[in-house]
Structure formats: C-alpha cells, structure tokens
Amino acid sequence: MANIAIVTDSNSGITQKQAQEIGISVVPMPFDIDGKTYYEDISLTQEEFYRKLAGDANISTAQPAPESFMDIWRNLLKDHEAIIYIPMSSGLSGSCQTAMIFASEEEFEGRVFVIDNQRISVTQRQAVLDAKKLADSGMDAKAIAKYLMDTKFESSIYIMVDTLKYLKKGGRITPAAAALGTILKLKPVLQIQGEKLDAFAKARTINQAKNIMINAMKSDIEKRFGGDVNNVHLEIAHTNNPLEAQNFKEEVLKAFPEYTGEIYTDHLSLSVSCHIGAGSLALACSRK
C-alpha cells in the first residue's frame, strides 16, 4: 500500500482536531488584524474573528510563510513516500503558486505534489477527503494528483452576501454601488466555479437569494452532473450564521427530495468571510 500523506490548509474548513481524526495535516492560514498576526484555529477562533470583524478591526489575509508548510512536508517525508498538498484555489490566493515553486526544490521534487484544485471551503474539504480515500486504497501519489486535477472543475459554490460593507471595503464594488445596493437592500449572490469569485445574481431578500442558489444548483446538476443529484455531495457553508444555515439545509432537502446523502454544513473559510462579512450563506456541491 502506498504511504501517502495528505496536507491542506485551513481554508478547507478542516480544524486541527478534525485533521488528527482524519489522519491529515492542516497548514493554518495567517491573518493580519490591527497589525498583529493570528493563525486560524491556532491563535484565532471563529468567535474571535467575527467579534473583531464586527468591531471594525483592520483585517487582511496573508499567505502562509513557506517555512510553515515546508516544515510540515519535511516532517511527513521522514516516514511517507510522498505528499499531496491541496491549498486553496490559485484564483483566490497566491499561496498555491508559492507552494508549487518550493515543491520543485531538490529535497521535495517528485515527492510533494501541489494540487491547484480550484476549490475552497467545503468543496476543498471534499477534495481532501477524496484524496485521503484514494491514498488509503493504495493509489500512488501521481495517480491521486492526476485524479484531483482531472476533476478540479467538478464543483460549484453559490454564496449569498448579507451586507455590501466588506465588498466595498475590499474594493470589489464601488462606494456608490454599495450605497445604492444598501438602499435597495440587495443580497448579491456570488459564484465560485473554477478559479474566481464572480457576481452571479442579485436578490432583494434572503428567501429570494436562497431560491436563486437552489435553482442554480438544480441547473448545474442537470447540465454538468448528469441530472442525478446523488452524483454529487451537497454542502452548505455560512459566515457565523448557523441557525439560518440549518433552516437553509431543510429547504435544500425539500428542494432535492431524492437526495440520499447527508448535507455537510460548516463555516465558510475565514479568508472568504474577511471579504464578505457575517450573515452569508452558501450552497455547494462536489462530484462524487
């Protein structure tokens, strides 16, 4: 059996505790908050992050220092043949390209495979679980890497944004557009399908946004995943909005009554939350 280690970053939503239970490693993502560096799930909890965000702290994301993942690689390579490293999508951060550069160094070349899986949050998590399952089955690292790259676009995420404040703050929309959207009480629906976070639709209410996401998912399942909802894992994510996420889960189950799986629900990555704020909901899927 191939002895392959699986590594990801905390954008996957996998906590350090969950990583130990699954048998993988997680690189914590750094955040600069009012000039001080914090590490997700190490020195920064979900609760602390949203408290600081609500208090108008100056928060920005950062790439992990190369040593933070290279030290993990070196340690794992002491008793593993190879490593599959699945960081967040290169379209959302430069950390993936940085890892690729260092993986080409002599000590890691041919043993560390960095996967630009074009995913984040719950879909990135599913790619990690898929990789772990393949490694446990005895598949070698090159074959796992090829599978992950061949299937990298076989996922979707739709995100309802509850406030335009953080999109404006991050420069993704103009102050004038944010002001008009706030007056009109717009709830933008964004899409991650592939490498970028793009605008998808506009809603006036949370219920309308939920319907937009459900209908978009139905369309994806029909056009991209063979028309059978059981060909995918359905997933829900949220930004400090667990009650609304639970209600949304029930609505999604009603919309897909033939779905036989469990809808995994979790917090959306803090790297995304930093740019959209609290109160958001996301509906996602990953091909089985």
Side-chain angles (χ1 to χ4, degrees), residues 28-275:
M29 295 300 294
F31 290 81
D32 186 283
I33 303 179
D34 292 334
K36 182 178 178 180
T37 301
Y38 295 81
Y39 293 91
E40 186 170 4
D41 197 37
I42 301 292
S43 56
L44 181 65
T45 66
Q46 291 274 335
E47 294 77 15
E48 290 169 331
F49 173 85
Y50 286 110
R51 186 166 60 248
K52 292 177 182 295
L53 193 66
D56 279 332
N58 185 13
I59 303 177
S60 60
T61 56
Q63 293 187 35
E67 285 299 327
S68 67
F69 53 78
M70 287 196 295
D71 284 347
I72 292 175
W73 294 353
R74 290 186 183 105
N75 188 51
L76 289 170
L77 286 175
K78 293 175 183 177
D79 50 16
H80 290 84
E81 296 173 17
I83 293 170
I84 299 291
Y85 180 42
I86 308 174
M88 71 185 293
S89 169
S90 64
L92 300 172
S93 170
S95 60
C96 182
Q97 295 298 332
T98 299
M100 286 181 171
I101 291 170
F102 285 96
S104 66
E105 292 191 355
E106 185 176 354
E107 64 176 313
F108 303 123
E109 189 173 10
R111 299 189 70 192
V112 175
F113 297 81
V114 179
I115 310 301
D116 189 4
N117 202 222
Q118 307 294 342
R119 300 190 186 190
I120 193 170
S121 187
V122 287
T123 59
Q124 182 182 353
R125 170 188 174 272
Q126 188 57 54
V128 172
L129 296 181
D130 290 346
K132 176 65 172 150
K133 184 176 180 179
L134 293 174
D136 289 346
S137 75
M139 184 178 285
D140 65 58
K142 285 185 179 180
I144 295 172
K146 182 179 186 306
Y147 170 80
L148 293 172
M149 291 302 294
D150 287 347
T151 59
K152 67 181 183 177
F153 293 124
E154 295 186 349
S155 68
S156 290
I157 304 180
Y158 297 94
I159 307 170
M160 178 214 77
V161 179
D162 189 54
T163 173
L164 299 176
K165 174 181 177 180
Y166 301 97
L167 290 174
K168 180 188 77 171
K169 188 175 180 180
R172 292 183 180 272
I173 60 173
T174 65
L180 179 60
T182 300
I183 292 171
L184 296 176
K185 299 181 179 179
L186 292 180
K187 306 290 183 187
V189 176
L190 309 178
Q191 177 186 38
I192 302 176
Q193 191 180 100
E195 63 179 20
K196 293 189 180 295
L197 178 67
D198 293 317
F200 180 75
K202 294 174 185 155
R204 296 292 295 273
T205 66
I206 290 177
N207 285 336
Q208 186 180 14
K210 288 178 181 177
N211 287 332
I212 288 172
M213 292 190 288
I214 287 172
N215 287 332
M217 189 59 64
K218 286 181 176 179
S219 177
D220 281 351
I221 290 168
E222 182 63 33
K223 295 177 181 178
R224 299 174 58 216
F225 301 116
D228 183 356
V229 68
N230 288 300
N231 285 339
V232 301
H233 301 279
L234 289 177
E235 303 140 334
I236 289 174
H238 62 92
T239 58
N240 203 33
N241 206 15
L243 182 58
E244 194 67 58
Q246 182 58 39
N247 293 337
F248 189 33
K249 179 179 178 178
E250 298 303 319
E251 293 174 43
V252 172
L253 285 170
K254 289 180 181 178
F256 297 96
E258 66 276 29
Y259 186 64
T260 59
E262 173 63 25
I263 298 180
Y264 180 77
T265 304
D266 201 357
H267 289 83
L268 199 59
S269 159
L270 291 186
S271 293
V272 176
S273 305
C274 187
H275 297 290

